[in-house]
Amino acid sequence: MTDLLLRAADGIAGLLGRAATLLLGFVVLVIGYQVVARYVFRAPPEWGYDMIVYPMGMLYVLAGGYAFRQGAFVLLDTFVGRLAPRRRALLDLVIAPLSALFCVALLWGAWDWAERSWRMAETTGSSARIPVWPFKWALVLGAVVLLLQVAAKAMRDFRIATGRAEPPPPQDDPNKPKRKGWWNRLTG
């Protein structure tokens, strides 16, 4: 059952991570359009700024759970990196309630913020009047997924700390086969 919950949390985070990638592609297209419209045609669209800022904020919150799962958050590696895997798991278990508390506080505030925005049909301040509530609900979704990942990491750390699971191999394990990127295939 626990493995199913861990796979579900990872799957949801992965799905939102891929959605954030698509959202980034959309933002790049909007920025390109904005630049061409502004400097070539001297007619920037009114909605351009809003359709860059709001989706970028949405991108950050939707990719948060995925980044947490991948270990992409900032760590104190000078201290934590020297710990044995079981001790590190114990330290992470001590920190997990603080991380969960942050996620719950974020979720609580975001829910109120998004619900109020939806109720009043809030739009941007520009004449384009783009609805803002979908972007605010993305913050709620991002907080839920981040909370799921915090719980999943705590479950994994508990298994490692109690000896029920082996710690994952280090990122720079020389025995781990390296994936060749396009540059290595081209030059190598």
Side-chain angles (χ1 to χ4, degrees), residues 89-131:
L90 282 170
L91 179 64
D92 286 345
L93 280 172
V94 170
I95 295 170
L98 297 174
S99 300
L101 183 63
F102 167 77
C103 291
V104 168
L106 179 63
L107 180 58
W108 187 327
W111 183 277
D112 183 50
W113 195 41
E115 195 269 331
R116 192 174 329 128
S117 178
W118 181 72
R119 229 180 327 111
M120 61 189 259
E122 183 181 9
T123 61
T124 58
S126 69
S127 62
R129 302 189 44 82
I130 299 166

Coordinates of all heavy atoms in Angstrom, one line a residue, residues 89-131:
A89 N 18.9 10.4 6.8 CA 17.5 10.1 6.8 C 16.8 10.5 8.1 O 15.7 11.0 8.1 CB 17.2 8.6 6.5
L90 N 17.6 10.2 9.2 CA 17.0 10.7 10.5 C 16.9 12.2 10.6 O 15.9 12.7 11.1 CB 18.0 10.2 11.6 CG 17.8 8.7 12.0 CD1 18.9 8.2 12.9 CD2 16.4 8.5 12.6
L91 N 17.9 12.9 10.1 CA 17.9 14.4 10.1 C 16.7 14.8 9.2 O 16.0 15.8 9.6 CB 19.2 14.9 9.6 CG 19.3 16.5 9.5 CD1 19.1 17.1 10.9 CD2 20.6 16.9 8.8
D92 N 16.5 14.2 8.1 CA 15.4 14.6 7.2 C 14.1 14.3 7.9 O 13.1 15.0 7.7 CB 15.5 13.8 5.9 CG 16.6 14.4 4.9 OD1 17.1 15.5 5.2 OD2 17.0 13.7 4.0
L93 N 14.0 13.3 8.7 CA 12.8 13.0 9.4 C 12.5 14.0 10.5 O 11.3 14.3 10.7 CB 12.8 11.6 10.1 CG 12.6 10.4 9.1 CD1 12.9 9.1 9.9 CD2 11.1 10.5 8.7
V94 N 13.5 14.6 11.0 CA 13.4 15.7 12.0 C 12.9 17.0 11.3 O 12.0 17.7 11.8 CB 14.7 16.0 12.8 CG1 14.6 17.2 13.6 CG2 15.0 14.8 13.6
I95 N 13.4 17.2 10.1 CA 13.0 18.4 9.3 C 11.6 18.2 8.7 O 11.0 19.2 8.4 CB 14.1 18.7 8.3 CG1 15.4 19.0 9.0 CG2 13.7 19.8 7.3 CD1 16.6 19.1 8.1
A96 N 11.2 17.0 8.4 CA 9.9 16.8 7.7 C 8.7 17.5 8.3 O 7.9 18.1 7.5 CB 9.7 15.3 7.5
P97 N 8.5 17.5 9.6 CA 7.4 18.2 10.1 C 7.4 19.7 9.9 O 6.4 20.3 9.6 CB 7.4 17.9 11.6 CG 8.2 16.6 11.8 CD 9.2 16.7 10.6
L98 N 8.6 20.3 9.9 CA 8.7 21.7 9.5 C 8.3 21.9 8.1 O 7.6 22.9 7.8 CB 10.1 22.2 9.8 CG 10.5 22.1 11.3 CD1 12.0 22.5 11.4 CD2 9.7 23.0 12.1
S99 N 8.8 21.1 7.2 CA 8.4 21.2 5.8 C 6.9 21.0 5.6 O 6.3 21.8 4.8 CB 9.2 20.2 5.0 OG 10.6 20.3 5.1
A100 N 6.4 20.0 6.3 CA 4.9 19.8 6.2 C 4.1 21.0 6.7 O 3.1 21.4 6.1 CB 4.5 18.5 6.9
L101 N 4.6 21.6 7.8 CA 4.0 22.8 8.4 C 4.0 23.9 7.4 O 3.0 24.6 7.2 CB 4.7 23.2 9.7 CG 4.1 24.4 10.4 CD1 2.6 24.0 10.9 CD2 4.9 24.7 11.6
F102 N 5.1 24.1 6.7 CA 5.2 25.2 5.7 C 4.2 24.9 4.6 O 3.5 25.8 4.1 CB 6.6 25.2 5.1 CG 6.7 26.0 3.8 CD1 6.7 27.4 3.9 CD2 6.7 25.4 2.6 CE1 6.7 28.1 2.7 CE2 6.8 26.1 1.4 CZ 6.8 27.5 1.5
C103 N 4.1 23.6 4.1 CA 3.2 23.3 3.1 C 1.7 23.5 3.5 O 0.9 24.0 2.7 CB 3.4 21.9 2.6 SG 4.9 21.6 1.8
V104 N 1.4 23.2 4.7 CA 0.0 23.4 5.2 C -0.3 24.8 5.3 O -1.4 25.3 4.9 CB -0.2 22.6 6.6 CG1 -1.5 23.1 7.2 CG2 -0.1 21.1 6.4
A105 N 0.7 25.6 5.8 CA 0.4 27.1 5.9 C 0.3 27.7 4.5 O -0.6 28.5 4.3 CB 1.6 27.8 6.6
L106 N 1.1 27.2 3.6 CA 1.0 27.7 2.2 C -0.4 27.3 1.6 O -1.1 28.1 1.0 CB 2.1 27.1 1.3 CG 2.1 27.5 -0.2 CD1 2.3 29.0 -0.3 CD2 3.2 26.7 -0.9
L107 N -0.8 26.1 1.8 CA -2.1 25.6 1.3 C -3.2 26.4 1.9 O -4.2 26.8 1.2 CB -2.2 24.1 1.7 CG -3.5 23.4 1.2 CD1 -3.7 23.5 -0.3 CD2 -3.5 22.0 1.6
W108 N -3.2 26.6 3.2 CA -4.2 27.4 3.9 C -4.4 28.8 3.3 O -5.5 29.2 3.0 CB -3.9 27.4 5.4 CG -5.0 28.0 6.3 CD1 -5.8 29.0 5.9 CD2 -5.3 27.7 7.6 NE1 -6.7 29.3 7.0 CE2 -6.3 28.5 8.0 CE3 -4.7 26.7 8.5 CZ2 -6.8 28.4 9.3 CZ3 -5.2 26.7 9.7 CH2 -6.3 27.5 10.2
G109 N -3.3 29.5 3.2 CA -3.3 30.8 2.7 C -3.7 30.9 1.2 O -4.5 31.7 0.8
A110 N -3.2 29.9 0.5 CA -3.5 29.9 -1.0 C -4.9 29.6 -1.2 O -5.5 30.1 -2.2 CB -2.6 28.9 -1.7
W111 N -5.5 28.7 -0.4 CA -6.9 28.3 -0.6 C -7.8 29.5 -0.4 O -8.7 29.8 -1.2 CB -7.3 27.2 0.4 CG -8.7 26.8 0.2 CD1 -9.8 27.3 0.6 CD2 -9.1 25.7 -0.6 NE1 -10.9 26.7 0.2 CE2 -10.5 25.6 -0.6 CE3 -8.4 24.7 -1.4 CZ2 -11.3 24.6 -1.2 CZ3 -9.2 23.7 -2.0 CH2 -10.6 23.7 -1.9
D112 N -7.6 30.3 0.6 CA -8.4 31.5 0.9 C -8.2 32.5 -0.2 O -9.2 33.1 -0.7 CB -8.0 32.1 2.3 CG -8.8 33.2 2.6 OD1 -10.1 33.1 2.6 OD2 -8.2 34.3 3.0
W113 N -7.0 32.7 -0.6 CA -6.6 33.6 -1.7 C -7.3 33.2 -3.0 O -7.9 34.1 -3.7 CB -5.1 33.7 -1.8 CG -4.5 34.8 -2.6 CD1 -4.9 36.1 -2.5 CD2 -3.4 34.7 -3.4 NE1 -4.1 36.8 -3.3 CE2 -3.2 36.0 -3.9 CE3 -2.6 33.7 -3.9 CZ2 -2.1 36.3 -4.8 CZ3 -1.6 34.0 -4.7 CH2 -1.4 35.2 -5.2
A114 N -7.2 32.0 -3.4 CA -7.8 31.5 -4.6 C -9.3 31.5 -4.6 O -10.0 31.9 -5.6 CB -7.2 30.1 -5.0
E115 N -9.9 31.1 -3.5 CA -11.3 31.0 -3.4 C -11.9 32.4 -3.5 O -12.9 32.6 -4.1 CB -11.7 30.3 -2.0 CG -13.1 29.9 -1.9 CD -14.0 31.0 -1.3 OE1 -13.5 31.8 -0.5 OE2 -15.2 31.0 -1.7
R116 N -11.3 33.4 -2.8 CA -11.8 34.7 -2.9 C -11.7 35.3 -4.3 O -12.6 36.0 -4.8 CB -11.0 35.6 -1.9 CG -11.6 37.0 -1.7 CD -10.9 37.8 -0.6 NE -10.3 37.0 0.4 CZ -9.1 37.2 0.8 NH1 -8.3 38.0 0.3 NH2 -8.6 36.4 1.8
S117 N -10.6 35.0 -5.0 CA -10.4 35.4 -6.3 C -11.4 34.8 -7.3 O -11.9 35.5 -8.2 CB -9.0 35.0 -6.8 OG -8.7 35.4 -8.1
W118 N -11.7 33.5 -7.1 CA -12.7 32.9 -7.9 C -14.1 33.4 -7.6 O -14.9 33.7 -8.6 CB -12.7 31.4 -7.6 CG -13.7 30.6 -8.4 CD1 -13.6 30.3 -9.7 CD2 -14.9 30.0 -8.0 NE1 -14.7 29.6 -10.1 CE2 -15.5 29.4 -9.1 CE3 -15.5 29.9 -6.7 CZ2 -16.7 28.7 -9.0 CZ3 -16.7 29.3 -6.6 CH2 -17.3 28.7 -7.8
R119 N -14.4 33.7 -6.4 CA -15.8 34.2 -6.0 C -16.0 35.6 -6.6 O -17.1 35.9 -7.1 CB -15.9 34.3 -4.5 CG -17.1 33.7 -4.0 CD -17.3 33.7 -2.5 NE -16.2 33.6 -1.6 CZ -15.6 34.6 -0.9 NH1 -16.2 35.8 -0.9 NH2 -14.6 34.5 -0.2
M120 N -15.0 36.4 -6.6 CA -15.2 37.8 -7.2 C -14.8 37.9 -8.6 O -14.8 39.0 -9.2 CB -14.4 38.8 -6.3 CG -12.9 38.6 -6.3 SD -12.1 39.7 -5.1 CE -11.5 41.0 -6.2
A121 N -14.5 36.7 -9.3 CA -14.1 36.7 -10.7 C -13.0 37.7 -11.0 O -13.1 38.5 -11.9 CB -15.4 37.0 -11.6
E122 N -12.0 37.7 -10.2 CA -10.9 38.6 -10.3 C -10.2 38.5 -11.7 O -10.0 37.4 -12.2 CB -9.9 38.3 -9.2 CG -8.7 39.3 -9.2 CD -7.7 39.0 -8.1 OE1 -7.8 37.9 -7.4 OE2 -6.8 39.8 -7.9
T123 N -9.8 39.6 -12.2 CA -9.1 39.7 -13.5 C -7.9 40.6 -13.3 O -7.7 41.2 -12.3 CB -10.0 40.2 -14.6 OG1 -10.4 41.6 -14.3 CG2 -11.2 39.4 -14.9
T124 N -7.0 40.5 -14.3 CA -5.8 41.4 -14.3 C -6.2 42.8 -14.4 O -7.3 43.2 -14.8 CB -4.9 41.0 -15.5 OG1 -5.6 41.2 -16.7 CG2 -4.4 39.6 -15.4
G125 N -5.3 43.7 -14.1 CA -5.6 45.1 -14.1 C -5.5 45.7 -15.5 O -5.9 46.9 -15.7
S126 N -5.1 44.9 -16.5 CA -5.0 45.5 -17.9 C -6.3 45.4 -18.5 O -7.3 44.8 -18.1 CB -4.0 44.7 -18.7 OG -4.5 43.4 -18.9
S127 N -6.4 46.1 -19.7 CA -7.7 46.1 -20.4 C -8.0 44.7 -21.0 O -9.2 44.5 -21.4 CB -7.6 47.1 -21.5 OG -6.6 46.8 -22.5
A128 N -7.0 43.8 -21.0 CA -7.3 42.5 -21.5 C -8.2 41.7 -20.6 O -8.9 40.8 -21.0 CB -6.0 41.7 -21.7
R129 N -8.2 42.0 -19.3 CA -9.0 41.5 -18.2 C -8.9 39.9 -18.2 O -9.9 39.2 -18.3 CB -10.4 41.9 -18.3 CG -10.5 43.5 -18.2 CD -11.9 44.0 -18.1 NE -12.8 43.3 -17.2 CZ -12.9 43.5 -15.9 NH1 -12.0 44.4 -15.3 NH2 -13.7 42.9 -15.2
I130 N -7.7 39.4 -18.1 CA -7.5 38.0 -18.1 C -7.9 37.5 -16.7 O -7.4 38.1 -15.7 CB -6.0 37.7 -18.4 CG1 -5.7 38.2 -19.8 CG2 -5.7 36.2 -18.2 CD1 -4.2 38.2 -20.1
P131 N -8.6 36.4 -16.6 CA -9.0 35.8 -15.2 C -7.7 35.4 -14.5 O -6.8 34.8 -15.0 CB -9.9 34.6 -15.5 CG -10.3 34.8 -16.9 CD -9.3 35.6 -17.6

